Amino acid sequence: MRSRLRPGEEAELVVRRHPIALAWPAVVVLFFGGALAAATLAPNRAILAVAGAVFAVAALWALWKYADWRLDLWVVTTNRVIDESGVFTVKMVDSPLETIHNVTCEQTLFGRMLGFGKVTIQTAAAHGTVSLDGIAAPEALRDAIIDMQVRRRAATAGGGAGNQTTRSGS
């Protein structure tokens, strides 16, 4: 996690995209790796050079996709939800728990079988709605956000109710 936590803030849950997001890059690299292996049998060395270059490009693309997957994450803290993304240019979006109005979770049949889906967070903040697509364990993310909101409300209400009771008891 590249975001700094504020004093007294703790990370409750860190979620990334599901590893299924890396399936397509892996298939492409395997395909072009096979083509490179087959090109070694070709009598014309130009075919081997082209296959090698295409394989290198596919491998670099897959490496880029892996870095993007690894650095794209969402963190639920005791105060906010942090959305981090980007390899060279880093984008960080904070959604304070107080500004989150609605959290929805969508999963297709395939997503339910493999454990990934989409979570949409509607906020009162300037950025409005944040959609997190293809994430692993979307229910856990939704539940963590709702649980942290409930805890914060209970802590705020508990502190306020305790003060009111003390005042009325005087």
Side-chain angles (χ1 to χ4, degrees):
M1 186 170 89
R2 295 173 280 184
S3 294
R4 291 191 180 127
L5 296 179
R6 297 176 183 140
E9 185 177 34
E10 295 178 21
E12 296 290 322
L13 179 70
V14 177
V15 178
R16 286 191 168 80
R17 290 193 192 282
H18 193 276
I20 195 80
L22 299 174
W24 182 242
V27 166
V28 169
V29 167
L30 288 173
F31 175 79
F32 287 116
L36 179 60
T40 61
L41 302 174
N44 187 346
R45 291 294 165 204
I47 294 173
L48 181 61
V50 169
V54 171
F55 175 75
V57 168
L60 287 173
W61 174 73
L63 186 62
W64 174 267
K65 295 302 273 183
Y66 173 76
D68 186 45
W69 172 82
R70 185 87 175 118
L71 297 172
D72 191 11
L73 56 93
W74 299 275
V75 182
V76 179
T77 73
T78 50
N79 298 330
R80 58 194 166 141
V81 176
I82 303 168
D83 177 7
E84 291 183 0
S85 61
V87 177
F88 293 122
T89 302
V90 179
K91 178 181 176 185
M92 295 177 200
V93 178
D94 287 356
S95 299
L97 291 171
E98 295 82 20
T99 65
I100 296 175
H101 291 297
N102 194 16
V103 182
T104 58
C105 177
E106 294 178 42
Q107 284 185 289
T108 62
L109 177 62
F110 190 60
R112 285 194 314 267
M113 290 187 318
L114 295 178
F116 68 89
K118 177 180 179 178
V119 174
T120 304
I121 301 170
Q122 295 174 340
T123 68
H127 57 271
T129 300
V130 176
S131 288
L132 318 171
D133 202 11
I135 64 168
E139 305 95 354
L141 178 60
R142 181 199 61 214
D143 293 346
I145 293 169
I146 293 170
D147 288 348
M148 287 311 305
Q149 283 183 313
V150 168
R151 281 195 230 164
R152 285 184 61 85
R153 285 185 193 128
T156 304
N163 290 341
Q164 289 173 352
T165 306
T166 304
R167 280 188 219 134
S168 61
S170 306

